[in-house]
């Protein structure tokens, strides 16, 4: 290993801020040896705050309508091959009820940016979940909204909000999104969420089209400064019905390295081993946990609609009943000596 890489590893494991060049050195130095070093360090750091506990989130994908036309996304507005659906309020509450009985204490409401779900409709749904399950956390992943909208959701009972920033490079952002979307607005939304008191999450796709190592280093610099409570990263996986259908997918190896780096940067992060990671590798989620992740998100959506929430091709976990899904996840985690816990799973620093 060269001196720059050795120094970068030392600073990272000492939890000192890194420069752009030092992040680049880590990313360029990706190798089995480096991943092994950092995953062992990340595991120690994670165990210091979380032990061998893994938090579960019940994911409810309640609408695949979206007004946006992001070039990488399978539910983009102009994809007419998607069978669109919306869950009713009653169906969403039923998913939460079933999830609660299975041991979930965080519900993640995710959708495209669907104008049907007005602020008032969403606030009503959030409030009802909060009243029914006051000991549970509510995470939203609904895209970009005004600060007033976010405040309304927060007052209704939402605790967390995940809004992937996608990239911290403005030019790259415009390569991935239509002209109607704004990098500055995306970043302002994240600031607004944090200012309002949400446990705030950002994130990016690993290996997204046109992404360079320097761009990834900029993502890490942004996260180092922003200090989110959660980070959602996963490999880019192309979708047949998008302009990026022929683009190369992100890799397991790059994603695992980044999970370890993020854990060492911010020891108390809530960091999922994502479905996308499990899609590109049969044991991808387990490897993500071993690299430093501490969250998994089984799907609570009705089985009949899961295949329609297709952000990318070959998405896993579209067929199991919720009870089967959680039992499978428990067994998978136990095999690598981790335990799924019934807990809200808040960020320890809060």
């Amino acid at each position: 290993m060269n001196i720059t890489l050795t120094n970068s590893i030392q600073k990272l494991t000492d939890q000192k801020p890194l420069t752009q060049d030092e992040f680049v050195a880590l990313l360029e130095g990706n190798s089995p040896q480096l991943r092994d070093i950092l995953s062992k360090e990340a595991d120690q750091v994670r165990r210091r705050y979380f032990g061998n506990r893994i938090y579960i989130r019940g994911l409810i994908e309640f609408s695949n309508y979206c007004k946006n036309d992001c070039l990488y996304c399978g539910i983009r507005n102009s994809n007419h091959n998607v069978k669109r659906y919306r869950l009713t309020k009653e169906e969403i509450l039923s998913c939460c009820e079933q999830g609660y009985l299975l041991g979930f204490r965080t519900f993640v409401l995710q959708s495209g940016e669907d104008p049907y779900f007005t602020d008032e409709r969403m606030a009503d749904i959030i409030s009802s979940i909060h009243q029914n399950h006051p000991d549970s956390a509510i995470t939203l992943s609904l895209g970009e909204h005004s600060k007033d909208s976010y405040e309304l959701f927060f007052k209704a009972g939402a605790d967390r909000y995940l809004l992937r920033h996608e990239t911290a490079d403005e030019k790259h952002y415009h390569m991935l999104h239509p002209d109607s979307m704004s990098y500055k607005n995306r970043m302002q939304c994240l600031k607004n969420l944090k200012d309002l008191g949400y446990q705030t999450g950002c994130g990016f796709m690993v290996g997204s089209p046109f992404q360079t190592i320097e761009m990834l280093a900029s993502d890490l610099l942004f996260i180092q400064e922003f200090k989110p409570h959660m980070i959602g990263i996963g490999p880019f996986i192309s979708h047949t019905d998008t302009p990026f259908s022929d683009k190369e997918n992100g890799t397991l190896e790059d994603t695992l390295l980044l999970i370890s780096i993020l854990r060492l940067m911010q020891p108390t992060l809530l960091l999922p081993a994502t479905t996308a990671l499990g899609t590109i590798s049969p044991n991808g989620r387990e490897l993500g946990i071993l690299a430093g992740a501490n969250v998994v998100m089984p799907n609570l959506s009705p089985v009949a609609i899961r295949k329609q929430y297709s952000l990318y091709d070959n998405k896993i976990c579209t067929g199991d009943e919720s009870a089967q899904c959680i039992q499978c996840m428990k067994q998978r985690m136990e095999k690598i000596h981790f335990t799924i816990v019934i807990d809200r799973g808040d960020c320890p620093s809060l």
Side-chain angles (χ1 to χ4, degrees), residues 120-263:
E120 292 70 27
R121 280 194 173 112
M122 278 312 307
D124 178 52
I125 291 167
I126 294 162
S127 177
S128 296
I129 296 171
H130 183 64
Q131 288 171 16
N132 293 346
H133 308 291
D135 59 336
S136 300
I138 300 171
T139 301
L140 304 179
S141 183
L142 313 176
E144 297 179 13
H145 291 274
S146 69
K147 188 172 185 179
D148 287 345
S149 301
Y150 289 147
E151 185 171 18
L152 181 66
F153 303 157
F154 189 72
K155 288 179 177 177
D159 302 277
R160 308 184 186 123
Y161 203 108
L162 177 62
L163 179 68
R164 286 188 175 188
H165 65 280
E166 301 298 3
T167 174
D169 183 289
E170 187 166 3
K171 288 183 180 177
H172 187 215
Y173 184 89
H174 290 295
M175 295 176 183
L176 304 177
H177 300 90
D179 292 341
S180 58
M181 297 182 70
S182 159
Y183 171 83
K184 289 183 173 60
N185 188 61
R186 177 66 61 120
M187 290 303 193
Q188 185 61 49
C189 284
L190 281 166
K191 182 179 184 303
N192 290 343
L193 288 162
K194 206 171 183 193
D195 288 348
L196 286 167
Y198 280 93
Q199 297 172 43
T200 305
C202 61
F204 53 89
M205 295 176 293
V206 180
S208 61
F210 317 113
Q211 188 181 67
T212 64
I213 281 178
E214 288 73 21
M215 289 171 180
L216 276 172
S218 296
D219 286 315
L220 295 173
L221 274 178
F222 165 70
I223 288 167
Q224 184 172 263
E225 181 181 345
F226 184 64
K227 293 183 171 55
H229 307 93
M230 311 175 285
I231 296 175
I233 68 165
F236 164 75
I237 304 175
S238 66
H239 190 287
T240 307
D241 297 318
T242 70
F244 290 161
S245 60
D246 61 342
K247 300 298 183 185
E248 195 172 323
N249 291 340
T251 69
L252 176 71
E253 292 77 14
D254 286 344
T255 308
L256 294 177
L257 176 69
L258 282 156
I259 287 173
S260 296
I261 289 172
L262 291 167
R263 172 60 62 202

Side-chain angles (χ1 to χ4, degrees), residues 49-50 53-57 270 294-298 339-348:
Y49 292 92
F50 301 100
R53 293 171 295 157
I54 300 298
Y55 297 131
I56 53 171
R57 316 305 199 198
L270 300 172
N294 63 336
V295 173
V296 289
M297 298 200 295
T339 302
I340 282 177
V341 292
I342 295 176
D343 196 304
R344 279 172 51 108
D346 289 306
C347 189

